[in-house]
Amino acid sequence: MKTKVLLLFTAIAVMSCGSHSKKTVSQAQSQQLDDLMANKSFEIVSDWASPLATSSLNSVANAGLMGPGSNAGHINLIGNSNYLRIEGDSVSAYLPYFGERQMGGGYDSDNGNIQFEGVPEDYEISQDEQTKRYEISFKIRRKAENFTVRAILMPNLSSTFNVNSSQRFPIRYQGKVSKISKEE
C-alpha cells in the first residue's frame, strides 16, 4: 500500500512539474496592439519604476523614505502622473525619476523628472513575428541631456522600457500601452 501511495505521489509530482500554465493573449488584445502601432498613436502609462539600486538609493530605502510596497529597486508609480507618448513621428514623455544624477541638472523646472518632447533621432520599430511583440528604440535630446529609449510592447498590452541618459543612471519602467487619453 505504501508503495502505491508513494508511486502515485511521485507520478503527480512529475506531471505537475512538467505542466506549467502559459499566459494566453486574446486575439482582440493582439489586434489592438497592431492597430495602435499602425496608427502610430499610443501612450504607455507605467505602474512601476526600477532604478539602478545604488548605495545612495539603498540608504534612502533603509531610512524608510520609500512609499508602501516600494524598495530601492522597484518603486510603485500607481497614482503618479507619468506617460511616454508616440504620436506620428513625435514623442513626448513625463516620467518620475528615481536614482542618481551623474552630472549637470542645474535649477531646471523639470523637478528632477525625465521630460522630453519632439521628433526623435534613429527611430526604429520592429515586430518579432513569433512572439508578436514590438520593439521601439529612439534617441532624443532635451537641453544638454541626451536620452536613449528602448521599449518592448507585448501582445497582452503590457510594456517595459528602459531610459538611458547622458546625465543619470539608467531606469526601467513597466506598465500598459493604450490609446492616448484625452485627459491632461
Side-chain angles (χ1 to χ4, degrees), residues 109-168:
S109 63
D110 67 1
N111 297 322
N113 296 315
I114 295 174
Q115 295 180 30
F116 53 79
E117 185 172 356
V119 178
E121 299 176 18
D122 300 332
Y123 182 83
E124 293 183 18
I125 183 170
S126 62
Q127 183 183 25
D128 183 328
E129 291 298 324
Q130 185 175 3
T131 62
K132 301 295 185 195
R133 74 182 195 174
Y134 287 90
E135 184 174 321
I136 301 168
S137 62
F138 61 87
K139 296 177 182 177
I140 193 162
R141 181 181 179 96
R142 179 174 186 259
K143 297 185 181 180
E145 191 169 9
N146 298 315
F147 298 100
T148 302
V149 178
R150 181 175 173 264
I152 297 175
L153 311 179
M154 304 301 278
N156 66 357
L157 303 177
S158 68
S159 68
T160 182
F161 64 94
N162 298 318
V163 179
N164 292 317
S165 164
S166 60
Q167 298 182 4
R168 312 171 199 225

Side-chain angles (χ1 to χ4, degrees), residues 55-76:
S55 61
S56 298
L57 199 55
N58 282 323
S59 295
V60 170
N62 290 337
L65 299 175
M66 296 284 188
S70 298
N71 59 49
H74 205 63
I75 298 170
N76 188 335

